[in-house]
Each structure stands twice: as C-alpha cells, then as structure tokens.
RNA sequence: GGAGAGGUGCCAGAGUGGUCGAAUGGGUCUCACUGCUAAUGAGUUGACCUGGGAAACCGGGUCCGAGGGUUCAAAUCCCUCCCUCUCCGCCA
C-alpha cells in the first residue's frame, strides 16, 4: 500500500500518477477526507485516555493513603470520561478501518520510467531474441522461418504423442487443468530442475506451503481486490496460492532485516492456482490458460538503492533460461494500464508459439517498491543511519512451465513428428534425445 | 481429534490488578581502565500512531501471541481464536 504521509504531502502528484492507470482523483479525495476525520477522532480519543490514565494514578495514590471518599469521587469522574471515551474509540477505529480498506485497494504508483498507456496495445516492445538471429532491440521483429511441421498446435502434438492428456484431465478436474504423461511429464519436471539449478548460484531454494492465510494474500496485494481470482478453501479459511510470490514475500513478514543481509534472493518451485474468473472462453485451447500450472519463481528483498540492479538481474536470469532453451521471445515494458496492481514497473517475456501463431506470456518480472513491504511489514535497519526502512520487493517467473512446454513441443517438432529435446534438459531426462513419433 | 503445559523486549527469563514499557542475566553500542587480546567498571539499547519543531528533541497515545470483555485502572481476571511443546488417537 501507499504511504499515507506521501499521499497527504504530495496529493496532486499521487493523483496525477495514479490517473495514468485509471484511478479517479475522487478516490484520493475520499481517502484524504477519511484520513482527516480519523486523525481528529484519534486525537480526541487519546486525550480522553490521557485523562483517565492520570485520574487512575490519582486514585491509586488516594487508595494508598486511605482516602477512600476522594477516591470514589474520582472513580465517578473517570467513569463519566470513560463513557465519552468509548464513543470516540469506536468512531476512531471505524474511521481507521475505513482508511485502511481504502488504502489497501489503491494500486501502486507507477515508476517514472513506466510507459504511459491506455491498453495492452501501448506496451512497449524493448527487444527480441531468437536462436537464429540473436538479440535485436526495438519492436520490428523478423520471425525465424518456421517449417510446416512446426506449425502444429501443441494440443494436437501432445495428443498424438501421448504426452498431454487434456481429455482425461477434464474428466478428473474439469477444463483448463493439464495432465502431462510419459516423457511429457518428465520434461515438465526437467524444466523445474533445470531452472532451480540455474538459480542455485545465488538464490536460496525454498519449497513453501501452497495454501496460505488471508493475511498472506493481502500482503502481496492479491486481496482484498482480487478475491474472485483466487481459489479459497472456505472451511479452513485458506487460499491456494496463485504464484510462489505470495508465500515468498510473506516469508519475512513483520521482520526487521539487517542491511548487510540484503539483498535476499529466494527461488521456489510450486504449483500455481488461478480461477481465471474473468476470462471464461478466452484462450481456452490447450495449455494457453490454466487453473493449475507449475512455475519456478525468483524473488528478492533489497534496499531501495539495490532495486534497480536487482530488477535487471531477475530479468536477465529469466531471459537467459529462454535463450538456453532456444526459444524465440520478446521483452515488453508494460504500460501504466497493463501494470499489475502492486507493481511500479514490469517487464513481460513472451515466447513465440509457432503452432498457434501467438506470443505467450511466460514471465513477468516486477519491481514493487515498498508497496508490498508496507503491507507485509518487512523492514531493514540501515547500517549507516541505524534507521528502519521498508525493503523493496521484486520478483519474476523463471519460468511458467505449461506455456514453455507448449512452445518447446511446437518449436522442436521434427518433420517425422518426433520432438527433439533441448540440450539443456537432456541431463534431467535420462539423456534421452527425443520424444519419438507414434 | 482428545488431554495437559505454555506464548513477555535482540535472546534467556521474572512478573497474578495501580509505583510495569516491564526485574535480572546475556547480547549490542559508547566511555573508562588495562601494553595487545581477554577481563573489569559505568552507561546505553524497542516498535508503531499522533501533535509541536528546520533539526536534535519534546508532549500524548498504543503495543507483554491476536481479538473481545470486566474494572476508575489489565502483562496480571474472564471469553473466543491462533501458534508452540508433551502425551494419546489417526495418518502419507
């Protein structure tokens, strides 16, 4: 959430910045009105409490010296103040709760570098890479010449080779749940091993819980605004995580870290669960959009000064995996209207799927500033000033496997219908070179 | 799931209604002393909200797992919940 003090002090600037992502100025005016009332009420409440505190001390003194009558007179007085106090207490706590609710729903202020835009069409293509042509900057993309046998969509390939069984997955769980089989399942597993090993030079590997408390979902910004998108286990009041970002961010919840321990780098492989409530009927074929998928996430806590460099590091790690897998991709700088709620700046990586002709989002690398840290209350003590500050959080997918799986089987499909396994995965797949055709 | 014990500051740990933001010990940092290290002595050391101040800082409030309640007054009494530990049951 935003720092209420920054909103107070720089109201116009905040309004202007949030307008670029479609937040109306009235929302902030309301917040300021509530804030003013809340502060008035809590000041009044604190004054009354101070009065009762001092009367109570008086009473204690009188009791000790045996002046019971005077003590009783003061008791009466204190009780009367107490009646007034309870009104202000409830007024103040209602207003404070209202202020917090409002603050929790206001998105982050975009970074100054985030391109301003009104739809995803305004996202900026920064660069693109393919194994044939290497890295190119700018939005003009020349796709490598794909052969006819690479133009088959992955769901057809998967069915044909018996490595993807969406029909039976639907029987078990419903549509938009995947089931990999045989070497298809092995390859999906290999991808995670490959990625976790690739980050092991600098990142601590975590296997977090995938069912989390409400507070954990609030910390990352997934609640209260996006309740509809999450799977909830009502009986136990738990949510299924939509990404490992959720448990990894809350790992340090309510902690004060030492500056010398920063940056903290974490990586985790988990399943991710998404209701996809708003997207019924869109991209429903194959593995394009799923209720459950596996992903390796990389995440960092940094000082504000380290954040920029870390953002670049996370992005380059995600890109490097794609390059090692030999997949054509492009890097998008998301514009203000396409930016995630909690993010200040996000780069998306999209892989080209020759079988469908679509660019598929396979990673999203974001810098959240202190927005999540404020919600999760993650701080650090500066070693120079000894002051306590909020950390910055950053994270990225590296990578989301279902879509990568789809792009691999399409890209690596041979003219005989078999699939060549990317070199970097073979070590994790019993050194098998290809998934044979049927 | 059942029975019991417990959750206090950076850590350990005392505190069963007022003088308790909290003894004591350890750690931290500062100073003194010692040729160095060590030891010793003195001091220091919480977070959050809010008002004032350029700031240092000063005032008020809150916080002893969380939320309610009793009381003039709650770490302390009552209720609910969460968590940890021990035993029993169940179980991959």
């Amino acid at each position: 959430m935003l720092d209420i003090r920054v909103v107070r002090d720089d109201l116009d600037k905040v309004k202007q910045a949030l307008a670029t992502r479609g937040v109306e100025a009235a929302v902030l005016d309301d917040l300021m009105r509530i804030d003013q009332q809340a502060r008035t009420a809590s000041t009044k409440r604190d004054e009354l409490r101070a009065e009762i505190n001092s009367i109570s001390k008086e009473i204690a003194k009188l009791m000790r010296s045996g002046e019971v009558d005077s003590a009783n007179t003061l008791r009466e007085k204190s009780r009367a103040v107490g009646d007034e106090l309870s009104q202000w207490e409830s007024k103040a706590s209602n207003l404070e709760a209202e202020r917090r609710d409002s603050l929790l729903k206001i998105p982050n202020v975009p970074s100054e570098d985030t391109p301003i835009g009104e739809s995803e069409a305004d996202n900026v293509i920064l660069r693109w890479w393919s194994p044939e042509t290497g890295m190119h900057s700018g939005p003009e993309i020349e796709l490598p010449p794909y052969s006819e046998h690479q133009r088959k969509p992955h769901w057809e390939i998967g069915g044909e080779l018996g490595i993807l069984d969406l029909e039976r997955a639907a029987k078990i769980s419903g549509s938009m749940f995947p089931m990999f089989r045989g070497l298809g399942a092995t390859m999906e597993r290999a991808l995670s091993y490959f990625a976790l090993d690739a980050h092991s030079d600098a990142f601590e590997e975590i296997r977090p819980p995938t069912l989390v408390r409400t507070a954990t979902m609030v910390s990352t910004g997934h609640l209260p605004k996006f309740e509809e998108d999450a799977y909830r286990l009502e009986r136990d009041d738990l949510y299924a995580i939509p990404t490992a970002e959720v448990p990894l961010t809350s790992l340090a919840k309510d902690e004060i870290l030492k500056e010398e321990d920063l940056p903290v780098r974490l990586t985790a492989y988990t399943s991710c669960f998404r209701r996809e409530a708003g997207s019924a009927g869109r991209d429903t074929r194959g593995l394009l959009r799923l209720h459950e998928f596996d992903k390796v996430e990389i995440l960092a806590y940094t000082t504000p000064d380290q954040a920029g460099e870390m953002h670049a590091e996370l992005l380059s790690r995600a890109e490097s995996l794609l390059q090692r897998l030999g997949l054509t991709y492009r890097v998008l700088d998301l514009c203000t209207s396409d930016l995630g709620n909690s993010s200040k700046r996000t780069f998306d990586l999209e892989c080209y799927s020759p079988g469908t002709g679509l660019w598929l989002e396979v990673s999203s690398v974001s810098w959240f500033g202190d927005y999540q840290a404020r919600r999760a209350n993650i701080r650090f003590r500066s070693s120079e000033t000894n002051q306590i500050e909020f950390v910055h959080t950053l994270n990225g997918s590296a990578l989301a496997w279902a879509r990568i799986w789809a792009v691999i089987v399409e890209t690596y499909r041979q003219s005989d219908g078999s699939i060549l396994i990317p070199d970097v995965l073979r070590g994790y797949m019993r050194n098998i070179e290809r998934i044979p055709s049927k």
Side-chain angles (χ1 to χ4, degrees):
Chain A
M1 72 195 149
L2 300 181
D3 184 350
I4 186 84
R5 276 168 287 214
V6 169
V7 183
R8 277 176 207 149
D9 296 346
D10 278 315
L11 184 58
D12 287 336
K13 243 170 132 180
V14 173
K15 273 184 188 170
Q16 215 174 352
L18 288 180
T20 64
R21 33 151 80 217
V23 176
E24 292 179 17
V27 171
L28 292 158
D29 288 330
D30 281 352
L31 174 66
M32 284 299 94
R33 202 196 65 242
I34 295 163
D35 178 53
Q36 193 48 253
Q37 291 173 356
R39 279 191 294 163
T40 305
S42 61
T43 300
K44 185 74 187 165
R45 177 197 60 196
D46 289 350
E47 283 168 6
L48 293 171
R49 279 180 179 165
E51 195 177 342
I52 288 178
N53 286 343
S54 87
I55 293 175
S56 292
K57 275 182 191 148
E58 256 334 278
I59 291 174
K61 226 182 277 175
L62 292 170
M63 292 299 282
R64 268 194 299 270
S65 60
E67 298 171 65
V68 178
D69 288 348
S70 315
N72 283 337
T73 310
L74 281 184
R75 265 186 203 156
E76 284 306 318
K77 186 176 170 195
S78 183
R79 205 170 310 168
V81 177
D83 288 344
E84 198 187 347
L85 170 63
S86 67
Q87 289 174 29
W88 284 101
E89 274 180 337
S90 71
K91 212 175 282 186
S93 76
N94 287 340
L95 284 161
E96 282 166 354
E98 205 180 327
R99 177 174 64 187
R100 184 176 165 79
D101 289 349
S102 159
L103 215 42
L104 281 177
K105 286 179 186 158
I106 294 173
N108 202 353
V109 170
S111 128
E112 284 174 13
D113 300 321
T114 295
I116 293 171
E118 294 178 0
S119 79
E120 62 176 41
D122 296 321
N123 294 339
V124 176
I125 298 171
L126 293 179
R127 57 178 179 269
W128 60 278
W129 182 94
S130 80
E132 289 81 5
T133 58
M135 188 69 80
H136 293 269
S137 58
E140 302 307 322
I141 299 176
E142 302 158 51
L143 284 171
Y146 288 101
S147 309
E148 203 41 46
H149 56 260
Q150 293 173 289
R151 291 291 181 187
K152 199 175 174 91
H154 61 274
W155 55 86
E156 290 179 16
I157 302 170
E160 175 181 286
L161 300 184
I163 54 175
L164 180 67
D165 192 344
L166 294 173
E167 291 73 21
R168 289 193 178 83
K171 178 172 73 179
I172 298 166
S173 299
S175 67
M176 297 168 74
F177 284 91
M179 180 156 68
F180 302 99
R181 302 187 66 154
L183 286 172
T186 307
M187 187 166 78
E188 211 264 356
R189 168 166 63 91
L191 286 165
S192 293
Y193 278 49
F194 159 63
L196 288 171
D197 281 352
H199 304 310
S200 65
D201 58 314
F203 286 69
E204 183 188 358
E205 184 175 337
I206 307 285
R207 185 28 262 230
T210 49
L211 298 180
V212 300
R213 298 172 187 282
T214 303
T216 309
M217 291 284 279
V218 171
S219 291
T220 38
H222 291 91
L223 287 179
K225 229 178 157 181
F226 304 100
E227 170 84 40
E228 292 299 303
D229 296 330
Y231 282 104
R232 179 171 176 208
L233 286 78
E234 203 165 342
R235 179 207 275 261
D236 299 293
D237 199 22
L238 291 168
Y239 288 85
I241 59 167
T243 157
E245 166 191 345
V246 172
L248 291 186
T249 300
S250 284
L251 194 93
K253 185 172 171 61
D254 294 324
E255 293 186 25
I256 299 174
L257 308 171
K258 291 193 208 117
E259 179 169 358
E260 50 269 35
D261 291 338
L262 297 176
V264 170
R265 293 178 176 86
L266 306 171
T267 182
Y269 162 54
T270 66
S271 295
C272 302
F273 303 90
R274 300 185 179 183
R275 287 188 68 232
E276 300 293 346
S279 47
R282 271 176 54 202
D283 308 328
T284 47
R285 299 287 325 250
L287 301 173
L288 299 180
R289 187 178 291 276
L290 298 167
H291 287 311
E292 176 180 349
F293 61 93
D294 292 336
K295 178 160 73 61
V296 167
E297 185 78 1
I298 47 181
L299 178 143
Y301 310 135
T302 70
T303 66
D305 288 345
Q306 296 165 338
E309 208 176 310
M310 182 58 72
H311 202 183
E313 178 184 337
L314 297 183
L315 180 60
S316 108
R317 280 178 179 272
E319 282 188 65
S320 133
L321 296 184
L322 292 174
Q323 291 176 15
R324 292 172 66 191
L325 288 167
L327 303 178
T328 300
Y329 71 90
R330 62 184 187 184
V331 183
L332 269 56
D333 193 352
L334 294 196
C335 75
T336 48
S337 72
D338 209 25
L339 204 60
N341 187 68
S342 304
S343 181
K344 289 184 86 63
R345 195 170 192 207
T346 296
F347 300 108
D348 270 7
L349 298 180
E350 294 185 338
C351 268
Y352 185 72
S353 151
T356 64
L358 299 169
W359 289 93
L360 304 182
E361 181 191 333
V362 296
S363 178
S364 201
V365 183
S366 300
W367 167 45
F368 302 97
D370 63 8
Y371 185 89
Q372 294 181 326
R374 241 170 237 291
R375 288 171 164 247
N377 194 29
I378 305 169
R379 297 170 293 172
F380 74 99
R381 192 179 292 277
S382 156
S383 39
E384 303 106 78
T385 65
N386 214 33
Q387 293 296 299
I388 293 172
E389 292 178 57
F390 287 103
V391 301
H392 280 201
T393 58
L394 305 102
N395 68 51
S397 355
L399 297 156
W401 299 133
R403 289 176 182 168
I404 294 284
W405 190 99
V407 173
I408 288 176
V409 301
E410 293 168 1
T411 304
Y412 283 87
R413 185 163 185 265
Q414 307 299 299
S415 52
D416 66 357
S418 68
I419 293 163
L420 211 58
I421 294 168
D423 285 345
V424 291
L425 297 181
R426 291 181 189 172
Y428 300 100
M429 294 183 69
R430 305 181 289 276
N431 295 313
I432 292 165
E433 281 174 27
R434 66 177 68 225
I435 300 175
S437 57
K438 284 273 156 85

